[in-house]
Structure formats: structure tokens, C-alpha cells
Amino acid sequence: MKPTILIAGATGATGGVAAKILLEQGFPVRALVHAEDERSQQLNALGADIVLGDYQDFRSLQRAFKGVQRAYFVYPIRPGIVQATVHFAQAAQEAKIEHIVNISQRTSREDAESESALQHWLAERVFQWSGIPVTHLRPTAFNEWLLYTRGKIRDGEYGVPFGPTGRFAPVSARDQGQVIAAILAEPDGHQGKTYPLFGPVELTPPQIAEIVADTLGKQMRYRQITPEEWIQNVFGGEFPFGAQHLHGIVLAHNAGHMAGTNDIVEKLTGHKPESVAEFVARNRKAFE
């Protein structure tokens, strides 16, 4: 009998992909969600056991972990990840979990300027202290950033806080979800590992703008904007924690801390990671 796997953030970009793959492979999946909605209903229709819970509600996590053997943890860019990790790890420890996959950040480090990146680094330490076998994933910037600013891209502008010279290899949430599913399906050999996740090619922001332009067949202007302007474009208002994170990530980008490529996605999924051009082509309708 296959182990039951708890997917936190099961209606999100990475968790949703992992949950669907694991269900297709015949794993019992328990989807931890904040509320029942169309996305959770779709997972339920695919066979997932839907459970309502909240990271800040320890009792709800204890209930969610009953009968579970493996789990995925993800936390958004907002305050509270360390407390959430303590709750999650304690509930997992009580349930004698075999393995956890934790998604962190490429810039997660002790000396991070970004408060979010620092807190993710501390969250990694919590999982280490728990004694539960864990794999940490550290993706660089997502291709999905393009979707966040699709309105501006439709107008012919690729505006990001990153300067013109730093490089990173954007990685798709779909590839990350496939990596998560692969590790949870067969965790042997991944215990205690930290995997940076990248797309196939390092690019500067102007090069990304050029690829978007070529793929869509339209003019595209790269413009460096402030983190606050990016937040306003995406969220339509102020988000101080997010802006502070972006200020820190810009410094990390300039210092080369977001750079790098490797073959981890290909080794774990059996295919090369999606390129920027492939991502834009797959989501063409969103940009038109």
C-alpha cells in the first residue's frame, strides 16, 4: 500500500502540480487548504482528501497529519513562516513522518538582506532540528513573475526591480511541482539534501524582455523599476513586507546570489526545465 502524502498549499502553483501528479501515480493525497473553493473541489474530484487547516492553528495541523507518512511544506512571501514551521514540524514529528519536502528560496541564507529570505533560512533550521528527514528546495525567481506583470507586458513593457547586468535562470512552478512529486514518491537518497532549482539558461532582465518580445512577436521595453512600483503594479497597493523582500533580492541579484544553473530538474523529472520562451508560448493567451 502506498504511503499517504500531505500536500500543503495544494491549490497553489507548486503544490497543485505535485498533488495531481501523485494522484495520477496512485498515491493517497491529503490536500491541506485554507478554504473550500473551486480549486479544492477539482482536487477532490481527482481523488484528493480535502482537509481544512491553517499553519497558525496547531490543532488543525495535528488533525491533518493523522495517518500521513510524507508531506510538502510551502509558505508565501509574508510574515510568520518560522512559527508556521514550528507548528508543521511538531505535528509531523508527532505523526512520525517519513519525509518532508520544504520549498525555500534561492537567496535563503544567514546574511540575507531580505527578511523573508532570512526567515526561510531559519525555517530550514527548524526542520533540521526536528530530526525529520527533509529535502530543501531553493528555487530562483519563477517564470510566473511574467504572469504577475502581464498587464504591463501587454502594453509592451517588462518592468522589474532587477538591474540590467545580474543573471538568473527563471524556473517554472510546473517543473518545481514535478520535482516535489518525484521526491515524495521516492525519497530515498534525498534525505538531508538541499537542491537549488533553476531553469535551463541564465539571463539578464533585458535578455528576458527580448525573449518575451520574440515569442509574442511584439515590441518589448525593459525598464528597471522600484520594488514599490512593482508591488503597486502587481497588488494594486502597498505591501511593505514584500517591498522589503524585493529590495533585498535586488541586492542579492546584483551580488550574483540568484545566478546558477544545474541539471537537478532534468535528473529528477526526466526532462529539461521549461525555458522562458516555452513558458511564454504556453501562456500566450495571458499576454495577448
Side-chain angles (χ1 to χ4, degrees):
M1 185 174 179
K2 291 187 175 183
T4 298
I5 300 175
L6 176 67
I7 301 293
T11 57
T14 57
V17 172
K20 291 173 184 176
I21 291 172
L22 291 167
L23 285 166
E24 290 170 359
Q25 294 177 350
F27 285 91
V29 170
R30 182 168 298 163
L32 178 63
V33 301
H34 286 291
E36 292 185 358
D37 56 18
E38 184 178 344
R39 296 171 302 172
S40 65
Q41 290 170 2
Q42 289 175 352
L43 283 174
N44 183 243
L46 292 173
D49 174 24
I50 306 300
V51 58
L52 297 179
D54 190 288
Y55 287 138
Q56 306 305 333
D57 179 357
F58 177 59
R59 300 301 180 196
S60 73
L61 294 182
Q62 286 180 309
R63 292 190 293 270
F65 268 104
K66 286 185 178 179
V68 167
Q69 286 77 51
R70 301 171 190 171
Y72 170 57
F73 178 83
V74 59
Y75 196 86
I77 304 298
R78 70 182 187 207
I81 185 174
V82 174
Q83 184 69 51
T85 308
V86 170
H87 286 171
F88 197 88
Q90 178 62 29
Q93 194 177 61
E94 291 174 5
K96 296 180 172 56
I97 292 298
E98 299 172 354
H99 197 90
I100 289 175
V101 173
N102 166 49
I103 196 161
S104 186
Q105 298 180 21
R106 170 65 175 145
T107 53
S108 169
R109 49 195 293 157
E110 186 177 7
D111 61 352
E113 296 285 347
S114 157
E115 184 64 23
S116 176
L118 172 60
Q119 294 298 313
H120 272 78
W121 180 83
L122 290 169
E124 291 178 13
R125 306 285 77 71
V126 171
F127 279 126
Q128 297 297 121
W129 300 335
S130 75
I132 301 167
V134 62
T135 304
H136 300 297
L137 304 180
R138 289 181 174 177
T140 192
F142 288 27
N143 272 318
E144 278 69 15
W145 273 53
L146 293 165
L147 291 177
Y148 300 160
T149 57
R150 57 187 176 271
K152 291 292 184 180
I153 288 175
R154 291 190 200 111
D155 295 336
E157 179 179 288
Y158 176 63
V160 289
F162 302 127
T165 58
R167 293 176 175 272
F168 60 93
V171 61
S172 294
R174 186 175 70 177
D175 287 323
Q176 294 173 60
Q178 292 171 350
V179 167
I180 293 158
I183 296 172
L184 288 172
E186 185 50 69
D188 286 351
H190 302 296
Q191 296 91 338
K193 299 292 182 62
T194 297
Y195 295 138
L197 298 182
F198 305 103
V201 181
E202 287 182 310
L203 300 165
T204 65
Q207 287 174 328
I208 293 174
E210 184 178 348
I211 290 170
V212 173
D214 290 345
T215 306
L216 295 177
K218 63 184 294 182
Q219 295 292 317
M220 189 67 52
R221 179 173 70 99
Y222 156 74
R223 183 167 74 93
Q224 185 177 6
I225 61 179
T226 66
E228 287 78 11
E229 185 176 352
W230 191 89
I231 292 289
Q232 179 66 41
N233 290 342
V234 173
F235 297 102
E238 295 183 355
F239 179 22
F241 187 82
Q244 194 281 332
H245 169 63
L246 283 180
H247 276 287
I249 296 304
V250 167
L251 294 175
H253 179 252
N254 293 341
H257 296 163
M258 292 175 65
T261 58
N262 59 31
D263 60 355
I264 289 173
V265 171
E266 184 173 3
K267 281 184 174 179
L268 292 178
T269 67
H271 64 78
K272 291 184 180 297
E274 186 173 46
S275 69
V276 171
E278 290 167 339
F279 177 85
V280 173
R282 177 164 63 91
N283 294 279
R284 182 182 298 274
K285 289 184 179 179
F287 301 110
E288 293 177 340

